[in-house]
Amino acid sequence: MRSQETTRRARAGLWLTLFTLLTAGCIQESPVLDTEPDFGADYEPDFGADYESDIGGDCCSGREEDRSPEPVLGPDASELPLTLPDDFILPQPALPFSLHHGVAVASTPAAVYAIGGAQAPDQTFRADVYRAAIQPDGQLGEWVPQRPLPEPVAGATAAVVGDHLVVLINRERDPHQPIGADFNARIYAALIDDGALGPWVDVAAEDPPPGPVTDAALFVDGRRLYVVGGSDHCVANAWVRSAELDADGWFGPWREEPALTGARFRGAALIHAGAAWVMGGHPGCGQYHDDLLRAELGDDGLGPWARVGGLGRAGAVAAAGATSEGIFFIGGDGGGYPVGTVGAVRPQAPHERHIAAAVAPFTGASTQQGPFVYVVGAQGVFRVALPGCVGEVCVTP
């Protein structure tokens, strides 16, 4: 009896050891921050008891992920120090509901708009649109409800094109439909009149953008509107599509631009120093990019994309913007958890990375006005003051 009992206990111990080894890979620890910004005595980041990464993907779900390593960048200079202003990141008035993920943001010089998103804790999609006025010091006023979208959305992307707020979405659909069915992509536009929104118009009913557009990126160069990447249920694409803008800021037929060097969704995209830049994002659920891509921007559209640098960590970027000092990327999803990394590159030497002490971690979507970037996410709303100048408005460390 003693021998049988000993054998039984040994087998139980072996199974416990195997279980521990198998599940250990699913435990991710948030990075230790060097410093945290002084948000005031009453500030406390609200991650919510139900917070989880908004990238989808559970390492123990049974789904096999392609975790192939990123292509190796050439000689990468040592990281250089970056000096930030004292009020680099400040909390702003919160949205009137708890956000889980998937909000889209856009702005004019006068206001920031937050569009749709999944509400915490049940992740119900919302059709709400809210506007917050930008004060003279760059701070935001209280959020005011606007005309809602015709349908609830999450994972949309938005931009101000001329006098219109444009929202690009993929409609929720039967997952058994073919991936990229064109009629699922929609572009809603509403005229902005003194900050308020007019009726929404489906401008893509006759000519929808090709391919899946959930969590795509948008940028506008004044001549064309560009759509970068996107996904359909974690199936990412590398497509870049553009539409020419007319004199009224409206856009015509779509055309294909040079594809990205790697498929992605939730990448950040912007224009700076005569080029288009794309950084980070996800090639699939549970997968992460660490790259900085660049394409020349000419009168006839984009040139080919090339990897010119790295972010120093993988994942989506929460706050992205550019000033006379360079291109900045702050916070975001660092591989299943929010991070507070702060980095920058200069266009003339994009392989050199400048870094500063990390701030409190946050995820979300961002929009830039002047040297200020506004971020809306699950952890709240923030104003980020980027060092440098945009036009005549400057922020000094």
Side-chain angles (χ1 to χ4, degrees):
M1 291 293 292
R2 181 180 299 273
S3 175
Q4 291 178 349
E5 177 65 14
T6 301
T7 301
R8 187 186 66 80
R9 290 181 179 178
R11 288 176 176 172
L14 177 60
W15 282 112
L16 178 60
T17 300
L18 288 173
F19 179 79
T20 302
L21 291 173
L22 287 171
T23 58
C26 295
I27 300 173
Q28 294 174 310
E29 296 181 359
S30 296
V32 177
L33 302 180
D34 297 324
T35 61
E36 289 192 2
D38 182 10
F39 286 163
D42 297 330
Y43 175 72
E44 190 172 320
D46 180 16
F47 293 93
D50 63 333
Y51 174 76
E52 62 185 67
S53 167
D54 64 359
I55 62 170
D58 174 357
C59 69
C60 295
S61 65
R63 180 176 56 215
E64 293 185 6
E65 305 288 4
D66 178 11
R67 299 183 181 274
S68 302
E70 282 287 310
V72 176
L73 183 65
D76 198 3
S78 58
E79 293 179 329
L80 306 173
L82 174 66
T83 303
L84 302 177
D86 292 337
D87 60 349
F88 175 65
I89 181 168
L90 294 175
Q92 303 295 294
L95 287 169
F97 64 93
S98 180
L99 179 68
H100 187 274
H101 73 279
V103 69
V105 294
S107 61
T108 69
V112 173
Y113 296 84
I115 303 111
Q119 179 177 333
D122 58 2
Q123 302 190 47
T124 300
F125 288 9
R126 299 180 66 101
D128 307 77
V129 179
Y130 284 87
R131 173 175 60 90
I134 299 176
Q135 310 298 324
D137 61 356
Q139 300 280 79
L140 294 182
E142 297 295 326
W143 292 96
V144 179
Q146 302 295 294
R147 187 187 301 269
L149 285 167
E151 57 186 297
V153 298
T157 186
V160 173
V161 180
D163 295 327
H164 291 82
L165 175 60
V166 174
V167 181
L168 180 64
I169 74 167
N170 258 121
R171 284 181 164 158
E172 281 297 288
R173 60 174 182 80
D174 181 347
H176 298 296
Q177 282 186 253
I179 288 175
D182 284 347
F183 61 82
N184 292 311
R186 285 292 179 269
I187 297 182
Y188 290 119
L191 181 66
I192 303 173
D193 185 8
D194 196 25
L197 299 179
W200 290 97
V201 177
D202 183 354
V203 298
E206 299 298 326
D207 186 24
V213 295
T214 297
D215 290 317
L218 286 182
F219 65 84
V220 183
D221 71 350
R223 294 172 298 235
R224 305 190 72 86
L225 171 76
Y226 293 84
V227 182
V228 180
S231 75
D232 188 326
H233 296 275
C234 290
V235 179
N237 67 71
W239 300 329
V240 180
R241 296 135 286 178
S242 73
E244 188 173 2
L245 302 174
D246 63 21
D248 297 324
W250 212 239
F251 42 97
W254 294 94
R255 78 176 189 192
E256 294 294 323
E257 300 284 345
L260 300 172
T261 61
R264 74 197 60 216
F265 57 94
R266 294 185 191 162
L270 53 81
I271 297 174
H272 184 60
W277 305 78
V278 170
M279 59 197 84
H282 305 288
C285 291
Q287 303 170 41
Y288 312 96
H289 276 302
D290 170 17
D291 57 7
L292 176 67
L293 308 182
R294 181 183 184 276
E296 287 287 341
L297 188 61
D299 292 338
D300 296 328
L302 292 173
W305 292 92
R307 175 172 175 149
V308 295
L311 305 183
R313 57 89 176 167
V317 172
T323 70
S324 58
E325 290 297 308
I327 299 168
F328 295 81
F329 37 92
I330 307 104
D333 187 304
Y337 46 74
V339 297
T341 53
V342 180
V345 299
R346 293 190 169 93
Q348 62 272 26
H351 62 285
E352 296 180 350
R353 188 166 49 248
H354 301 253
I355 62 168
V359 298
F362 62 94
T363 60
S366 68
T367 182
Q368 181 176 2
Q369 285 296 323
F372 300 111
V373 172
Y374 301 93
V375 187
V376 182
Q379 293 77 35
V381 182
F382 302 97
R383 188 211 72 176
V384 181
L386 302 180
C389 302
V390 176
E392 298 181 355
V393 182
C394 299
V395 170
T396 57

